[in-house]
Amino acid sequence: MMIQQASWIAMDGAASTVVPVFRRKFSGAKGIWSAALEVTCDGVYEARLNGERIGNFILAPGWTEYRKRLQVQRYDISDMLQEENVLEITVANGWYRRTNAPWTGTHNPDEFLPAMVIAALQLRGKDGIVETILTDERWEVSESNVTLSGIFIGEDVDMTREPHFVPAKVCDYPKSMLIPQEGPEVHEQETVYPRASFRTPKGEWVIDFGQNLAGYMAFDLDAHAGERLSISTAEVLDRDGNFYTANYRSARSQLHYTCREGHQSYKPRFTFFGFRYLRIDEAPEGFTADQIHAVVLHSEIRRTGWLESSDPMLNQLFSNIIWSQKGNYLDIPTDCPQRDERYGWTGDGQIFCRAATLQYDVRQFFRKWLADVRAAQHENGWVPEVVPSLTAYKPGGGAWSDAVTIIPWQLYQTYGDVSFLSDMYDAMEKWLAYIPTVSTTEDLWTGCWTYGDWLALDWPEDYHPATIELSKRGYSNDDLICSAFYANSVSIVIRAGRLLGRDVSGYEALYRRIAAAYKARFSKRLNTQTEKVLTLHFNLSDHPQALADALAEQIRACGMKLQTGLVGTPYLLHELSRYGYTDIAWSLLLRREYPGWLYSVSKGATTVWEHWDGIKPDGTFWDDDMNSYNHYAYGSVADWVFGVACGIQPAEPGYARVRIEPRPDPRLNSLSAVLDTVNGQIRSAWKYTDRGIRYEIDTPVQAEIVLDGKSRVVEKGRYLF
Ligand code: BGC
């Protein structure tokens, strides 16, 4: 990359909070055949040529394990050149120089760096002569009109501010981490217009977009210089209909815009928000709701999966799951897009990954993030709980760090591309080598930190946890969870290793020892739903049917309620159907009361909630602390709908052959799934009619179709039964 010849530049003496604009003037156009710009920064940037934005990548260069990997973007700007040109690059703090949330107890070591940019512009003449303009002391720099910026903060902008350019300073900063762009770019994807505009009981002016989303607001207005537009964001209103922001915790999440004279339009350029509602805290006289709209941001991923049913509430759930994927696939897979978090939680990433691969083509998205997992993995093999990592933060523990095996395996299943496994195999092996070094028991994974079955509902009623922390972890045994995931990771490495022609005999022996130790230690202590589900899902029981019977009985006995948290929920319905309890799986899915997937829908949710009862039946909140309304983890249920309710399973990786065994339920009149696989489009639909159930199946490849227990093999085509 020609950028390697350039120098990092900064504004001399500027504090890290200053958002500078770097500028370089040059002549061109006449005689120029092509022009390309390579650029990156230690924050997020926006580049403009002659006032026009270069490229559509929002929040470039995205978020990676920066100290090892910083993406460089390359833009073809040939068509933008004029006789005399001004190239401007504004650099804000972004993720690189973020302030870590206080709850992490960590500091970002790069937080107090000044804003720096590095760029190379190559002008290729018609005569073949190449001129290269590199960042150096010939560039100028000024404070921009962005006076404060941060991913959690939002943006403060003062359009009355005049620039004062001074020469830029060359900085001695490493370039070894510069890599070409790998991930799909984040783009503006959709526009959402206000659904309603009203005064709350407190008298505040609130605009409702009708959809919880990740992105920003955009507006245009006429104003006098110095007038202000100040906007706060929120996901939900409280019981009384007032604006509720406590669940953002320390994320300020506001825009403060000081107008210049005349007509103007603006949208934040260096941040994003998770919101459905905007509160207009201050506005120029005459400003109305139709002057503002919302812009949805997410990574450039192609939709591949669609679900539709005869139940509007279920359809709303499907829509909520899609919106939570969009809201949380913003350059990295995040837990949530709104509070002081928005981190690449490895556990959430693996929990939702199967559903994610069905709904969107996420190959490139995960290829980049998995490269960051490799980069973030410590020498000793531990995989951080969030990637890109927070320096000095904890290893993830069972079910979180196991993303290192689970996600590549899932990508291989969905897309049939073995390179996901070969790219990650060493990292998987390192992870497996790490576990025995910290476990307190041979052949099990015990005595270590894990988040447990995070947010499960099964701590006993008479149990008074010493700290709220405990009540968030459910009652499943940590050692069991970690050991079950250890067994699963070993089994993935065995299967991946075989495919890659590796010697896996050592892992096979290890697996046998883990399974035996697990059964000896836990088989008589399978109390919670999640403990049973994990034991079934990872094939760690000698009597799986009896265990599944007990699970079904337990669910019935507590009033047909699931009690599982983040760890158990993604597998719960699968294990119920696998052992003959599809009716219970359907009951849980269709349940409209707490806890159940349609409960949040009944409360008006437009994205998936973090808590089964983020808003309680009486309208109060679960708590302020862990109360995201855009958390895709429980949206993992979409993979049961595609794979079991509509019955579309890959018989071979990448759906090169398929098995289709739909499991209709009379409580629903009809259901259909469309899946664009790398081998073509599959459709599986069923509908109850006067003459029985009508199945419609399209398959682009050979399929085994199983209906009412009867199996038939068909070639590609459309089939009605
Ligand atoms: C996140 C989760 C994450 C968890 C770890 C939370 O703050 O939002 O989704 O997995 O921490 O238990």
Side-chain angles (χ1 to χ4, degrees), residues 102 148 284 424:
L148 182 68
M424 293 302 288

Side-chain angles (χ1 to χ4, degrees), residues 103 249 335-336 339 341 345 348 400 451 454 566 610 626 631:
W103 62 266
R249 305 193 304 216
D335 56 337
C336 54
R339 67 179 176 220
E341 203 143 356
W345 281 98
D348 305 54
W400 269 256
Y451 286 97
W454 188 245
L566 255 63
E610 177 173 28
M626 300 294 298
H631 230 77

Side-chain angles (χ1 to χ4, degrees), residues 622-688:
W622 188 85
D623 74 4
D624 292 336
D625 182 38
M626 300 294 298
N627 211 10
S628 152
Y629 293 96
N630 200 351
H631 230 77
Y632 54 43
Y634 294 148
S636 58
V637 74
D639 68 49
W640 183 84
V641 182
F642 280 104
V644 182
C646 289
I648 305 173
Q649 291 287 344
E652 272 174 34
Y655 297 82
R657 277 193 320 112
V658 289
R659 186 172 191 281
I660 301 179
E661 184 182 6
R663 314 278 188 101
D665 187 280
R667 281 167 285 184
L668 199 62
N669 188 259
S670 66
L671 180 67
S672 76
V674 175
L675 198 59
D676 271 344
T677 73
V678 291
N679 282 291
Q681 191 177 81
I682 304 171
R683 179 167 176 268
S684 169
W686 49 259
K687 186 176 172 54
Y688 282 83

Side-chain angles (χ1 to χ4, degrees), residues 456-577:
L457 305 175
D458 48 14
W459 61 95
E461 299 234 327
D462 59 350
Y463 175 75
H464 296 292
T467 66
I468 183 88
E469 188 68 19
L470 280 172
S471 74
K472 288 179 194 151
R473 298 165 40 87
Y475 208 54
S476 293
N477 182 290
D478 285 356
D479 292 343
L480 180 149
I481 292 174
C482 287
S483 297
F485 276 90
Y486 180 28
N488 180 54
S489 280
V490 174
S491 115
I492 288 173
V493 170
I494 293 170
R495 285 173 280 166
R498 283 186 192 138
L499 281 161
L500 299 171
R502 308 288 183 105
D503 174 13
V504 292
S505 51
Y507 293 120
E508 288 168 340
L510 172 62
Y511 183 82
R512 286 191 293 272
R513 294 199 305 275
I514 296 174
Y518 184 96
K519 288 170 192 175
R521 172 116 167 211
F522 301 115
S523 62
K524 296 215 168 53
R525 294 166 42 187
L526 298 171
N527 299 314
T528 67
Q529 293 180 9
T530 287
E531 289 171 353
K532 295 185 178 75
V533 167
L534 295 183
T535 305
L536 289 168
H537 194 73
F538 297 140
N539 301 308
L540 292 166
S541 170
D542 286 333
H543 307 287
Q545 187 61 54
L547 184 57
D549 295 347
L551 172 66
E553 192 38 46
Q554 186 175 14
I555 294 171
R556 280 203 198 98
C558 69
M560 208 51 105
K561 290 183 196 150
L562 60 78
Q563 304 279 288
T564 47
L566 255 63
V567 167
T569 303
Y571 308 133
L572 176 63
L573 303 198
H574 287 281
E575 293 315 304
L576 288 166
S577 330

Side-chain angles (χ1 to χ4, degrees), residues 47 119 124 257 325 419 423 505 534 566:
R124 193 176 295 273
Y257 177 85
Q325 180 163 1
S419 70
D423 287 352
S505 51
L534 295 183
L566 255 63

